[in-house]
Amino acid sequence: MKLFIRDQPRALALATDTHVLILRHSPSNSALTLHKTASSTSVGESGTPRCIVEFSPWEAQDMSEYRSLSSLKVQGTLGLVTLERDVFLCVVNGSSHVATVRPGETVQRILSVEFHCLTRSDFDHLLNEQINPFPTDDLDAGGHDHGRNQEPLLEHPCMALKKLLSGGSFYYSADFDLTKRLQDRPPEGSTVAIDSLDAGFLWNTFMIQPLVEFRSRLSEREKEALDQSKILTSAIRGFASTVTVPASSSPARMRAAGFPSNMTLISRLSCRRAGTRFNARGIDDDGNVANFVETETIFCTDTICFSYVQIRGSVPMFWEQASGLPGQQKITITRSADATQPAFDKHFEHISKAYGDIFVVNLLSDEKSQEVQITRQYLYHIEHSLLNQNAKHLGDSSEHLHLKHFNYDFHAQTRGPNGYEAASGIRRWIEQSAVSFEHFLSEEAQEIVQRDGRKQSIVGQNVVLEQSDRTNLIQTIISQMAVEIFLRQQDERSPTSDFWARHGTLWADCGDALSKIYAGTGALKSSFTRSGKMSFAGALADVRKSAQRLYINNFEDKGRQNTIDMLLGRLIGQIPVHLYDPINDWVTAELAKRQSEYSSSEQISIFVGTFNLNGKTAGPEDDLSLWLCPDAVQSSPLADIVAIAFQEIVELDVQQIMSTDPHRRQVWEEAVRKTLNVNSRHRGSDEYVMLRGGQLVGASLAVYVKANVLPLVKNVEGAVKKTGMSGMAGNKGAVAIRMEYAETSICLVTAHLAAGFANYEERNQDYRTISAGLHFQRNRTIEDHDTIIWAGDFNYRIGMDNERARLLIKKGDLGQLYENDQLNLQMVHGKTFPFYTEKTPKFLPTYKYNLYTDEYDSSEKARIPAWCDRIVTKGDNLRQMHYDTATLRFSDHRPVYGYFQCTINVSDRNTKDKISAELYAKRRADIGNRSATQGDESDVESLIGYESIEPGLPPASSDKRKWWLDNGMPARSTVKPPAENGYVPNPARPSNPFSPATEPDWVKVEKPSAPPSRTASRASNISQTSRAGGEAIPARKLAPSPGTSGLSNEEMAPPPRPPRPATFNNDDGKVHMKQTLRKPAPPPKPSKPALLRSETGESTASSVGSSRAPPPAPEPRRVLSKAPTMPGTGDAQPSRVASGASFVSARSQQPPQPPPSRTLKKAVPDSTPSLPSRRDTSGLMDQGGDGGDMKGWEPLKPL
């Protein structure tokens, strides 16, 4: 596998010999911005980074623009992570082989990873930066390196992650699912299905999840190709190692053929509450505890494979411990016992489902007050645990206990002269319980019977250990006990000292690895675990480790915790990358829309029967047609599928539990087949063939199908789950068979649950155990099916006294009986079979009858009649037509049957493939070269596209695409105000029209009266001056008529304004105001000319030269009147001076002040400032009818 890169546009490609996975970042997610003050290890919350992804055969891609990024091969990718604004692809480029579980099942230790940026090339030169082999040293609170080595100018953003993943504590396997125990892995699984991994132990869940979701959208053929390419890598954290045991030291010498054996130890650290020592303590509200580790000891020879599992974790309570010097690390319980109990129950419920019953060994001290306080509350929670409530009601303290406890004060026991050797004294306290600890064993010997396609798989009592270094030593002792018990059961000899030395070495290495992860150093007491004795050097090593822990826990743990949270995607604002396949995603969506073209619905019928035989040998020779071919269904079509369940098909004695005889099951299966075929021949239909059968001691399930429907049935599997004797025995439990009928998955289950009138809680627990613990291949569970039918002896009783129940039966009042039925009540309250339905039984209770009679139990026990035998279903495609019983009297139960109509989907594979190919070609033609391989950044948005969130709504808009402008149609609003005039949208309303508000949609606004126009104002001023008697008024407007009189100073004087430059005309004696430029650019609009007249008839002006061009001339105006002359002087004759000179006006002849923009003002004789010089100008325009008075004026031009 190699990594390729393309620079423009930037893309990364992971390629194998046959396929290539290409990723390209989408730059259109503009919402993804990072605030300047945000953490360097978090991203903005406003957007999701998006990438275009494509998976295709190598030959279908043009890789000419790509170059190999390095000569080294990569082992796969751990996924994608977003830091700040950049998206990085993490690849494993260095690993070493550390373990071989079975032939072909190898484990690799990750030694080196690289983070390649998808968004830019700025970090490419930092990829080869060397990693400190001690990744936790020199990290500050932000997770950055501040060690002795000189830092580069630009540190890679993923340096902290790179150090964490390259630290040697992460492992992966390309051959099998490393997150699961040996017994949970199907032996025939050749590839690792990334979507079926255990998320609790998968440390790169956050990074790999986008690729897992992308895989789910591929076709089955492409999914298989992606799995086989091994591009997607799953990583666990913990420890894995294998030691070879020579044949001379192997304890399995009786069966060995001279080949060496392998002993493997795998520890899986949970990531659900991951963290360092003082940052992750106790439990969370979801029931996850800190430092939870599942350790599996595996011993394999050429013929057998043995597996034994232990678990350890922090005390499941809400408690904290402050870091500091020894003696200052105070423990604080942060939540009361009542508030802690729900989380405590969740924790052990999860453990019970996964491992069975629990045996707790508590290693806390009985002398330290803080640890004593934790132990007391711990015992309180165990006593009030939901797992043990049923045992309280029964008054039984041993058989029905699912959670047992033993307290072992490790320090007090090892304080004597024997030291840590005294820890082996725990053997005598737990040896009795250790015998019941179960293991997984697979054998290849011919005498081992394969049951329902699965080898013997046992989940039994396991050990939960609380606390740190002492835990590893005690776990080593218990592992040794388990191996010894197994070898005794196999009649093998006792192991040699060499074998135990190798065993101790594995556990010592495991303890060191786990302690480095959690506490920062190797485990204390590891020298004793390794060699069996405590040396002086080992004691000095423990002192050194304690000092190192003190420093690491107080100064480095915060940075380590931050990096762990970054890896797991738990930082504030950290969001996963969204991957989009522009072709396959679109084809998948279009195929779903066109499902009706290649898929159709058909009706099939299913017959289900269940019968508790009470261990009787009679029955197969009786007429079973009363049950299997009842008259009620004779008018309906013959069932396409027939599922027949039996309980107590054999007597539930010790011999049958230990080794079940399959003969009785085979006899009944043949009797059922004959009865079904007699009826089918009578009705002229195809015969039935047995599809598959399964048995768990007394529970048996057989599935028959008509011969003509066999081509539609595929992927048939079987599985069993024990629940009897706390999961150790098969006298109670379930058998399940699943299949796919056309495109619909069907699961059929028979179950025999716990007996006893008051044990309904235990029956509820049995259901939960079966539902969660019964697994098919690829980790399918019962709930992962479209159609589910349970049939069996569920043992739920009727909650009333015997006499009243029998009286209601005689009266035929079945409704009142059903109201008190335990199963009905428990289903109504959601405590069992959630979301399942049952047709109301209209038949008499099926238990308990006297043999060969229709009378209920008349023995001394006089059991209350009950509907023990039931059928419940789940699936919206099921319709139950019949639900009844038959009169077969050779058992104390009555058989029950149900007839169903089931709607299944049938797809035409050829038509679907044809439509898919057409859609693929169409999509490829539409996007052209715009894909993850080719195209530029501007094409990304059109590739990704947008889907409507609800049917009938348009797709979402974007910066480049607006749905209201689709198809070239302009946007047009049809909203109208309530009245034609005066109403406008209310600006006070929220911008979101769907937000609740008290403001009205429209408000009425009165239009203001229009101001007078300039022409009207000008005419008004002129008329006023005409009426005033001819007095000259300085103004910017055209000069008034000579016969008008001026206004008084009081009427016309505005606030003073700065003067304007003026021009003086020698020819006419007229003075003209010049436009004042307030900004050099852009050029201002020219002002209208204004005429100034002196009261004395004498004036001075200054002309200022300018390099700018004069402003453009205004439009010619209509002449109103001749310009007036000053009284008593006639026309003023100004004198011309050179351009650039300054003129100072004489006091006797002062020019008037420049007028403001809207008002007029007379000149003030004694306040005239000096005016700048101005170049010569001509008259602006002619005033008067003949133009004599304004002759020679010239319009101003813009500067």
Side-chain angles (χ1 to χ4, degrees), residues 559-578:
R560 295 169 61 217
Q561 182 70 47
N562 192 72
T563 306
I564 291 172
D565 292 338
M566 187 198 312
L567 174 65
L568 299 175
R570 295 174 182 171
L571 295 178
I572 299 299
Q574 196 172 0
I575 49 181
V577 179
H578 173 69

Side-chain angles (χ1 to χ4, degrees), residues 352 356 438-439 451 456-459 657-658 660 695-697 719-735 752 765-766 769-770 773-774:
S352 178
E438 296 199 2
H439 57 266
R451 296 176 179 172
Q456 290 182 351
S457 177
I458 303 173
V459 180
I657 292 175
M658 297 300 295
T660 304
Q695 182 178 2
L696 175 65
V697 188
V720 298
K721 181 66 178 178
K722 297 178 181 178
T723 60
M725 296 179 65
S726 302
M728 297 167 53
N731 61 314
K732 295 292 189 292
V735 181
H752 194 186
Q765 179 62 35
D766 285 349
T769 301
I770 295 169
L774 191 148

Side-chain angles (χ1 to χ4, degrees), residues 794-848:
F794 299 159
N795 262 321
Y796 286 94
R797 309 303 171 91
I798 296 175
M800 60 175 59
D801 61 83
N802 197 357
E803 294 182 0
R804 186 184 177 196
R806 298 190 183 216
L807 179 61
L808 292 175
I809 290 174
K810 291 181 179 180
K811 293 181 177 180
D813 190 356
L814 301 182
Q816 192 168 351
L817 286 174
Y818 190 65
E819 290 177 359
N820 292 273
D821 176 70
Q822 290 179 350
L823 177 59
N824 177 41
L825 295 174
Q826 296 299 305
M827 290 178 66
V828 167
H829 289 84
K831 295 184 177 181
T832 188
F833 292 101
F835 307 106
Y836 282 81
T837 59
E838 181 193 28
K839 188 179 179 67
T840 304
K842 301 298 183 182
F843 48 87
L844 296 178
T846 59
Y847 175 83
K848 174 180 184 178

Side-chain angles (χ1 to χ4, degrees), residues 383-397:
E383 183 181 357
H384 292 80
S385 172
L386 293 176
L387 297 177
N388 290 337
Q389 281 187 356
N390 188 62
K392 291 182 182 179
H393 298 312
L394 298 175
D396 193 327
S397 60

Side-chain angles (χ1 to χ4, degrees), residues 751-1025:
H752 194 186
L753 305 184
F757 179 86
N759 292 343
Y760 56 87
E761 284 291 350
E762 190 168 349
R763 289 187 278 274
N764 296 345
Q765 179 62 35
D766 285 349
Y767 160 76
R768 291 190 290 267
T769 301
I770 295 169
S771 180
L774 191 148
H775 293 271
F776 301 99
Q777 294 182 18
R778 291 191 174 273
N779 205 33
R780 288 192 187 96
T781 65
I782 295 175
E783 299 300 319
D784 296 330
H785 293 81
D786 302 321
T787 304
I788 308 171
I789 302 177
W790 287 62
D793 183 2
F794 299 159
N795 262 321
Y796 286 94
R797 309 303 171 91
I798 296 175
M800 60 175 59
D801 61 83
N802 197 357
E803 294 182 0
R804 186 184 177 196
R806 298 190 183 216
L807 179 61
L808 292 175
I809 290 174
K810 291 181 179 180
K811 293 181 177 180
D813 190 356
L814 301 182
Q816 192 168 351
L817 286 174
Y818 190 65
E819 290 177 359
N820 292 273
D821 176 70
Q822 290 179 350
L823 177 59
N824 177 41
L825 295 174
Q826 296 299 305
M827 290 178 66
V828 167
H829 289 84
K831 295 184 177 181
T832 188
F833 292 101
F835 307 106
Y836 282 81
T837 59
E838 181 193 28
K839 188 179 179 67
T840 304
K842 301 298 183 182
F843 48 87
L844 296 178
T846 59
Y847 175 83
K848 174 180 184 178
Y849 286 91
N850 294 327
L851 295 180
Y852 299 102
T853 69
D854 291 330
E855 297 178 358
Y856 288 103
D857 186 17
S858 59
S859 64
E860 293 181 359
K861 294 183 178 180
R863 293 178 177 86
I864 303 172
W867 285 295
C868 290
D869 308 279
R870 312 291 277 270
I871 300 176
V872 296
T873 62
K874 183 178 181 180
D876 54 7
N877 59 340
L878 271 179
R879 181 184 177 190
Q880 187 166 359
M881 310 302 295
H882 301 283
Y883 190 24
D884 208 343
T885 185
T887 56
L888 296 179
R889 300 181 176 88
F890 54 83
S891 172
D892 57 356
H893 289 255
R894 290 290 183 264
V896 174
Y897 67 86
Y899 182 85
F900 302 87
Q901 287 184 352
C902 181
T903 303
I904 53 100
N905 293 323
V906 180
S907 296
D908 187 341
R909 177 61 57 180
N910 295 331
T911 303
K912 183 178 181 180
D913 292 342
K914 181 180 178 181
I915 296 175
S916 178
E918 292 175 354
L919 292 172
Y920 189 94
K922 179 180 183 300
R923 181 62 171 172
R924 173 65 74 179
D926 289 343
I927 67 174
N929 292 330
R930 300 172 300 165
S931 64
T933 309
Q934 299 176 350
D936 54 26
E937 294 181 353
S938 62
D939 297 325
V940 171
E941 187 167 310
S942 60
L943 286 178
I944 294 179
Y946 297 88
E947 296 292 336
S948 59
I949 59 175
E950 291 290 342
L953 294 179
S957 62
S958 68
D959 293 339
K960 298 181 180 179
R961 175 182 175 183
K962 297 174 175 58
W963 56 265
W964 57 87
L965 298 179
D966 284 349
N967 303 321
M969 298 297 294
R972 180 176 300 175
S973 173
T974 59
V975 179
K976 295 181 180 181
E980 294 184 0
N981 297 322
Y983 283 91
V984 297
N986 187 359
R989 274 193 62 84
S991 58
N992 184 357
F994 300 101
S995 300
T998 58
E999 293 287 339
D1001 294 335
W1002 302 88
V1003 292
K1004 187 173 183 180
V1005 178
E1006 297 294 340
K1007 292 185 178 180
S1009 58
S1013 63
R1014 291 181 178 268
T1015 305
S1017 301
R1018 191 179 303 118
S1020 175
N1021 292 336
I1022 293 174
S1023 62
Q1024 289 178 9
T1025 55

Side-chain angles (χ1 to χ4, degrees), residues 302-363:
D302 53 344
T303 57
I304 63 172
C305 190
F306 159 84
S307 168
Y308 177 75
V309 175
Q310 300 179 61
I311 56 176
R312 60 184 282 184
S314 182
V315 180
M317 292 163 41
F318 291 95
W319 62 283
E320 297 174 354
Q321 187 175 14
S323 60
L325 298 174
Q328 298 179 353
Q329 300 170 351
K330 183 179 179 181
I331 297 175
T332 304
I333 298 177
T334 59
R335 198 174 293 190
S336 65
D338 293 338
T340 303
Q341 191 69 44
F344 183 92
D345 291 337
K346 286 182 182 178
H347 172 65
F348 281 105
E349 182 181 0
H350 296 162
I351 293 178
S352 178
K353 288 181 178 179
Y355 305 100
D357 287 356
I358 305 113
F359 187 90
V360 177
V361 176
N362 181 15
L363 302 179

